[in-house]
Amino acid sequence: MTANPKVTLKPLYERPSISRHRAGLMNKMSASAAYTPKDSIDGVPVEDLVAAYGSPLFVYSQRTLEERYQELNGHLSRRWPRVQLAWSYKTCYLDAVCKAFHAQGAWAEVVSGMEFRKARRNGIPAKNIVFNGPRKTEAELAEAFAGEAIVNIDHFDELAMAERVADSLGITPKVGIRLNLAAGGAVPRWGRFGFALETGQAWDAVRRLVGGGRLQLAGLHCHIGTFVLDPSGYQTAAGKIAEFANRLRKELGIAVEYLDMGGGFASKARLRSQYLPGEQVSPSLAQYAEAVTSGLSALDVRHDDCPLLILETGRALVDDAGTLISTVFANKRLPDGRRAIVLDAGVNVLFTSYWYKHDITPCSEPRGVPEPTVVYGPLCMNIDVVCENMMLPPLEVGSRVLVGPVGAYNVTQSMQFIQLRPAVAMISPQGEVAEIRRAETLDDLVMGESVPSWL
């Protein structure tokens, strides 16, 4: 019997993949990572933090919070005689973070009744709360007026409501008005909020307020945007507000008690290219302070009535203080040839991934050659992309990475979607660690739910 001849199979054709070249640090062997591993936060080992509170885990550095606050307050105080920072609650309203800033002397800036009540529960007197935002109820205005909070009026309907509330309380409360204005070509205008300055609407609001006789105009407020990378926008805005205040004094005899320049200073986080083509350089806090106070130099100030300068900075104070510890859950090779890793944290807790290019740093010495890598989260959603393309070496399943900066907005905007929200810890300047919010359980998810009797 003749044996079957040996058949040699031709390998199946495999379509080649093309990956865009990524420049990086080079040596004669390969591209190398432009970072060094980091296995601790403020001197506390990452593995100890995960052992105590699990992964993923947000970690806040109290030392960084305090240093950033003192830096900005110092720059402003050297340039303006009366300065007050008001911590922006929406940026991160964890009690421990808020109280860390309040302990430094910060007031509270809130944009809802919920945030107002949270600030009050944190021990902040109403008179040290700046109440902004386009939606304030009559009950919330009554509480704010009764406590002499700083209320900035956003629109004509709110102005009329404030007058009704003042009538019902039998008082004539002090208020400010919010202005929106053109701050220069590099700063997109936020026209939705406040009264338009250039069209004359803001002056109409002043005349309406003064003519009503039921409110006292005490201040001017402006917030030109968010993540503003051009400090000159603040100089332009401050100059226009100074001119408006001068007109109030000259024509109506009103000397404002405060000028609130809002917030919007950029942190050191890097924006995605669609938000910022080209290289990003975030200004220093000193540059912002110089821009604001330079613009206010046009103000007609007398020795006995220099207005209080209020800043509502949030992101620039807290972003660098926050880090997320995450764990590699899986490795994949995508059809286009790129490597992919799956983390145990995604856009459910890293909402800023939609506009930030987060830094992702391995906690242990990586092995292998870095290559373009997509970083996914754990959600069963195609949009769950933490980083679209970055140079990373192979990372073993179970290894830790640090994602940052993530201190601003991620905790307040995190979702109970597919995954429960993780714990949050804080490290003191002395190296002490405390859990400032525990990880959620299923009971937290269903809290407040009820089932109809027919089910």
Side-chain angles (χ1 to χ4, degrees):
M1 186 174 182
T2 304
N4 291 330
K6 184 176 181 181
V7 178
T8 302
L9 297 177
K10 182 180 179 180
L12 294 175
Y13 172 75
E14 184 175 317
R15 183 178 179 181
S17 61
I18 300 176
S19 299
R20 183 162 65 93
H21 173 69
R22 292 279 176 171
L25 300 179
M26 301 296 295
N27 57 36
K28 65 181 182 179
M29 302 298 292
S30 65
S32 61
Y35 50 75
T36 54
K38 184 179 179 182
D39 62 1
S40 65
I41 302 174
D42 280 8
V44 180
V46 167
E47 289 302 326
D48 290 355
L49 291 165
V50 173
Y53 308 113
S55 174
L57 174 69
F58 283 106
V59 180
Y60 279 88
S61 164
Q62 183 182 347
R63 173 180 53 79
T64 304
L65 296 176
E66 294 175 353
E67 288 176 352
R68 295 291 280 175
Y69 181 93
Q70 292 164 7
E71 180 184 357
L72 178 57
N73 193 61
H75 288 309
L76 289 166
S77 298
R78 285 190 289 273
R79 293 169 170 85
W80 195 258
R82 300 178 61 222
V83 172
Q84 181 60 56
L85 298 184
W87 167 240
S88 170
Y89 261 52
K90 67 179 180 294
T91 315
C92 180
Y93 42 63
L94 290 171
D95 283 348
V97 171
C98 295
K99 289 189 174 185
F101 284 122
H102 295 324
Q104 295 295 306
W107 289 359
E109 185 266 337
V110 304
V111 292
S112 71
M114 177 274 289
E115 292 183 356
F116 184 90
R117 292 186 292 273
K118 204 170 199 304
R120 294 289 290 117
R121 195 176 71 169
N122 280 336
I124 304 303
K127 65 179 181 179
N128 291 348
I129 298 176
V130 180
F131 198 167
N132 292 320
R135 193 257 186 187
K136 310 178 190 77
T137 66
E138 289 196 10
E140 290 163 356
L141 280 176
E143 185 177 1
F145 286 159
E148 300 182 352
I150 296 175
V151 176
N152 291 317
I153 303 296
D154 187 81
H155 46 78
F156 283 108
D157 288 329
E158 185 171 85
L159 176 55
M161 182 195 301
E163 289 179 332
R164 292 196 302 271
V165 172
D167 277 346
S168 68
L169 296 175
I171 60 176
T172 308
K174 295 179 179 180
V175 298
I177 63 167
R178 177 168 180 168
L179 311 179
N180 75 65
L181 49 82
V187 182
R189 182 166 185 157
W190 275 29
R192 173 187 168 187
F193 305 102
F195 301 95
L197 179 64
E198 291 84 0
T199 65
Q201 187 184 62
W203 192 254
D204 289 342
V206 168
R207 294 174 63 187
R208 169 67 181 81
L209 188 154
V210 173
R214 285 165 286 186
L215 303 171
Q216 301 177 64
L217 181 58
L220 301 175
H221 171 50
C222 178
H223 182 86
I224 63 174
T226 186
F227 216 99
V228 178
L229 287 164
D230 184 3
S232 68
Y234 289 96
Q235 184 171 353
T236 299
K240 290 185 175 183
I241 287 182
E243 292 175 1
F244 196 81
N246 290 342
R247 184 182 179 189
L248 285 174
R249 181 191 289 272
K250 181 179 179 180
E251 297 187 21
L252 300 177
I254 298 174
V256 294
E257 298 176 11
Y258 68 88
L259 297 174
D260 183 347
M261 290 301 301
F265 298 170
S267 70
K268 296 177 184 177
R270 296 172 298 138
L271 293 176
R272 286 177 179 259
S273 59
Q274 64 263 38
Y275 298 101
L276 182 72
E279 197 67 25
Q280 171 190 325
V281 178
S282 294
S284 67
L285 295 178
Q287 288 175 288
Y288 287 118
E290 180 66 29
V292 169
T293 53
S294 293
L296 293 180
S297 63
L299 187 68
D300 179 12
V301 177
R302 301 171 187 176
H303 75 280
D304 59 343
D305 62 0
C306 178
L308 178 68
L309 173 59
I310 300 174
L311 268 294
E312 305 162 359
T313 309
R315 187 197 311 268
L317 296 185
V318 74
D319 219 4
D320 290 346
T323 303
L324 181 75
I325 302 173
S326 188
T327 302
V328 177
F329 198 75
N331 288 282
K332 290 188 174 185
R333 181 67 64 177
L334 301 179
D336 64 4
R338 287 180 298 169
R339 177 189 291 135
I341 63 171
V342 180
L343 299 179
D344 61 358
V347 296
N348 56 318
V349 294
L350 287 172
F351 196 80
T352 56
S353 294
Y354 290 120
W355 56 83
Y356 280 0
K357 293 187 291 185
H358 289 114
D359 293 326
I360 299 177
T361 305
C363 294
S364 55
E365 191 68 43
R367 300 175 182 175
V369 178
E371 62 177 284
T373 303
V374 187
V375 182
Y376 293 114
L379 308 183
C380 192
M381 299 287 290
N382 208 40
I383 61 171
D384 187 20
V385 181
V386 175
C387 187
E388 184 65 41
N389 207 335
M390 73 179 303
M391 293 295 290
L392 281 175
L395 299 175
E396 296 181 1
V397 172
S399 62
R400 318 290 185 197
V401 296
L402 302 181
V403 185
V406 298
Y409 293 107
N410 287 293
V411 171
T412 48
Q413 294 182 333
S414 61
M415 300 173 282
Q416 290 173 321
F417 179 62
I418 298 180
Q419 302 285 334
L420 295 170
R421 288 178 289 198
V424 185
M426 178 177 280
I427 301 174
S428 77
Q430 294 75 36
E432 301 168 291
V433 183
E435 185 178 52
I436 61 175
R437 191 187 73 183
R438 63 170 174 76
E440 291 181 328
T441 67
L442 186 58
D443 288 338
D444 297 311
L445 179 64
V446 302
M447 184 183 300
E449 289 189 25
S450 60
V451 179
S453 59
W454 59 86
L455 294 178

